[in-house]
Amino acid sequence: MHNVNMFIPLAIGPLERADRFEYAICDLLEAEDSGYVVGSGTYGSREGISGANIQIAVATLPVMNRIIGILRKGGAPPESTIEIVDESKVIRLEDWGDL
């Protein structure tokens, strides 16, 4: 399994994060038996919410191409980042190339 952390710099709370991204990612991973959502969270401070993160484990990295499609469809900004932990690689959404 590959561990992947995604950071989405949008001021959205847990329910909107789930509606826009998590449910579709869960459905995809379950349908393809290709991984699972490990966790998610909201980043914030006294000034307000600054972003959301979703952590997943995927069996193979090519499934990330479809997950990137979900992020884009949900309105994730181009500066969102995808960190492939076991490869110590961080890629911005706008720089993602198909695997």
Side-chain angles (χ1 to χ4, degrees):
M1 286 294 208
H2 300 277
N3 294 308
V4 179
N5 295 324
M6 298 174 283
F7 177 73
I8 306 162
L10 288 175
I12 58 174
L15 295 177
E16 188 174 356
R17 178 186 66 236
D19 287 342
R20 289 173 72 170
F21 307 109
E22 283 180 76
Y23 293 147
I25 292 171
C26 282
D27 290 346
L28 169 73
L29 294 174
E30 185 176 305
E32 295 186 3
D33 194 26
S34 57
Y36 52 91
V37 174
V38 175
S40 59
T42 302
Y43 289 91
S45 66
R46 289 186 175 136
E47 289 78 35
I49 296 172
S50 60
N53 77 309
I54 302 170
Q55 301 163 339
I56 61 174
V58 295
T60 63
L61 290 176
V63 73
M64 289 303 301
N65 296 322
R66 290 180 296 290
I67 291 171
I68 296 304
I70 291 169
L71 293 177
R72 288 180 174 143
K73 183 177 179 183
E79 63 272 13
S80 300
T81 57
I82 299 97
E83 176 188 11
I84 302 170
V85 176
D86 49 331
E87 293 186 14
S88 299
K89 182 187 292 185
V90 177
I91 304 165
R92 290 167 46 110
L93 184 59
E94 65 189 346
D95 298 328
W96 185 268
D98 283 349
L99 296 175

